[in-house]
Structure formats: structure tokens, C-alpha cells
């Protein structure tokens, strides 16, 4: 089926470092979304991208949707301990099912 | 509360047992989605409702899975004759326009 490929699978960083993670697909998506999930909780939407090439910031988070709408990235600047969690890219596949397709996630771990 | 509420939070079922998982969406949200999240994976779409109409059930893995939303509000996901591979977290999400809000999920363990 359609897949969103996320990299890296996990990241071990020091507090204060910047973080960059990617999401790629062979299919075109109508929306580019980034979610964060913490243990025992549902995913929470961080940033939504709707237009090809769109660049959006939300506090320390910045995300961009690729020109072809097949890829996106998420950057987190000056990481803090509460950034720990699993980050998922997701999107609505063009011409696909009504629900979202999710990647497998990038697990962010912050070392003190 | 103001968020999406799911119950139970945890369910242990014996193989072959039927289970029913409940979702209370945010009041007024027209759209409701069910997802299945296996351990270490991202959520996978199961089915979508617009009000009481089930518009997309393409993600339901087998005919043992059934979802309903009879009055366009609360939804129930039913799994008949549960199998071990059904063990997962079942997430419900609701939306009014484009942003979907997720509940905490129901963790189903089939033993």
C-alpha cells in the first residue's frame, strides 16, 4: 500500500541541539501533517501543510511541504526535555482513502 | 471533557471473544475516524464516518471488524471472534473541518 517513509527511525540528541527529520513517499499527498505522540496518548497535530512548497513555523518548530508534495521535513530548534516523543508525518493521499496515511515515526530521545 | 473520549482505556480479551470499543467525539464534530496502531508502528486508517454515514471502510482488515455511529455522535468499533493479531491500540479521531483530534486510544490485548 501507500507508504510514508520517515528518517531517521530514532534520534539521540543533547538538550539544546537542533533536530531535523524527514518524510518521503512515492505518492502525492494533498496534505502534509506532522504529529507528536507521547506514551499512552493519541497523536497531537503540530503543523499542517496544504500547499506545495509551503513553509510554516510554530514556535520552535518549522516544517516544509515539498514542491512535488511527495516529501516534507520537520525541524525543531533548541530542543528541550519535553520534546521527547515519537514524531509522525501523515497525509491525505491524493485520490486515496478518506483517512490519513501515517509514517512509522521518528523516536526522539534527549540526553541530559 | 472537551476532547475525544475513548473507553475502555484497556481491554484484555480471550481469543475468540467479541469486544466493543466506544468513542465519544468532540461535540459537533461531523467527521469521525477509527485507526489501528500496532506496537512500534504508525496509526493505520480503518474507517470514516460523516455524521451517521459510514463513507469509507476500506481499511477494515476483515469482516470481523464492524463500526457504527447510529446517531451521528458516539461511535462503536466491534471486533468479533478476536485473534491475537488484533492486539493493538485503537484510536478514534474527530474533526469539524481539516484538523483531526485524537483520543487516548483503547489498548486491546488478545490472549
Amino acid at each position: 500500500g501507500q507508504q510514508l517513509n520517515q528518517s531517521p527511525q530514532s534520534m539521540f540528541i543533547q538538550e539544546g541541539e537542533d533536530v531535523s527529520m524527514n518524510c518521503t513517499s512515492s505518492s502525492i499527498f494533498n496534505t502534509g501533517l506532522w504529529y507528536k505522540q507521547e506514551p499512552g496518548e493519541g497523536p497531537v497535530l503540530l503543523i499542517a501543510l496544504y500547499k506545495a512548497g509551503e513553509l510554516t513555523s510554530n514556535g520552535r518548530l518549522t516544517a516544509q511541504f515539498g514542491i512535488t508534495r511527495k516529501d516534507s521535513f520537520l525541524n525543531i530548534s533548541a530542543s528541550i526535555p519535553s520534546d521527547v516523543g515519537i514524531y509522525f508525518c501523515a497525509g491525505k493521499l491524493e485520490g486515496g482513502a478518506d483517512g490519513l496515511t501515517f509514517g512509522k515515526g521518528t523516536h526522539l530521545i534527549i540526553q541530559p | 471533557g472537551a476532547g475525544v473520549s475513548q473507553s475502555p482505556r484497556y481491554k484484555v480479551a480471550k481469543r475468540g471473544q467479541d469486544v466493543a470499543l466506544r468513542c465519544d467525539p468532540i461535540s459537533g464534530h461531523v467527521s469521525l475516524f477509527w485507526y489501528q496502531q500496532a506496537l512500534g508502528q504508525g496509526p493505520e486508517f480503518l474507517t470514516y464516518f460523516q455524521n451517521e454515514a459510514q463513507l469509507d471502510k476500506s481499511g477494515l482488515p476483515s469482516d470481523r471488524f464492524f463500526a457504527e455511529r447510529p446517531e451521528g455522535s458516539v461511535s462503536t468499533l466491534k471486533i468479533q471472534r478476536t485473534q491475537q493479531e488484533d492486539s493493538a491500540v485503537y484510536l478514534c479521531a474527530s474533526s469539524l473541518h481539516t484538523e483531526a483530534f485524537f483520543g487516548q486510544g483503547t489498548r486491546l490485548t488478545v490472549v
Side-chain angles (χ1 to χ4, degrees), chain B residues 54 60 62-68 76-80:
Chain B
Q54 189 174 21
L60 295 176
S62 78
D63 58 8
R64 295 186 296 104
F65 287 69
F66 172 76
E68 59 183 7
T76 304
L77 176 66
K78 297 179 179 177
I79 308 173
Q80 297 176 322

Side-chain angles (χ1 to χ4, degrees), chain B:
Chain B
V4 177
S5 178
Q6 293 189 245
S7 60
R9 287 294 312 277
Y10 304 93
K11 175 71 179 176
V12 178
K14 290 186 178 178
R15 191 161 56 93
Q17 187 179 353
D18 297 349
V19 297
L21 312 179
R22 178 187 169 104
C23 173
D24 281 88
I26 295 172
S27 178
H29 278 197
V30 169
S31 299
L32 186 146
F33 305 82
W34 283 98
Y35 291 83
Q36 180 191 60
Q37 186 173 23
L39 191 64
Q41 303 292 316
E44 291 198 3
F45 169 73
L46 294 177
T47 187
Y48 161 62
F49 289 85
Q50 189 175 83
N51 295 307
E52 68 278 4
Q54 189 174 21
L55 299 186
D56 189 339
K57 52 182 181 180
S58 62
L60 295 176
S62 78
D63 58 8
R64 295 186 296 104
F65 287 69
F66 172 76
E68 59 183 7
R69 194 186 185 197
E71 297 179 359
S73 178
V74 170
S75 177
T76 304
L77 176 66
K78 297 179 179 177
I79 308 173
Q80 297 176 322
R81 304 181 303 281
T82 51
Q83 303 295 315
Q84 281 194 316
E85 62 262 27
D86 300 335
S87 295
V89 174
Y90 290 85
L91 293 163
C92 175
S94 71
S95 70
L96 184 59
H97 298 297
T98 52
E99 181 177 350
F101 295 86
F102 283 82
Q104 290 180 303
T106 293
R107 181 177 295 279
L108 173 66
T109 304
V110 181
V111 297

Side-chain angles (χ1 to χ4, degrees), chain A residues 26-40:
Chain A
S26 57
S27 304
I28 296 173
F29 284 79
N30 288 334
T31 55
L33 308 170
W34 285 93
Y35 284 85
K36 180 188 178 187
Q37 188 174 30
E38 297 182 22

Side-chain angles (χ1 to χ4, degrees), chain A residues 1-20:
Chain A
Q2 299 81 17
Q3 283 194 342
L4 285 170
N5 303 303
Q6 289 191 245
S7 63
Q9 234 178 356
S10 57
M11 302 183 74
F12 296 81
I13 64 166
Q14 301 282 341
E15 184 178 349
E17 285 185 20
D18 295 344
V19 171
S20 184

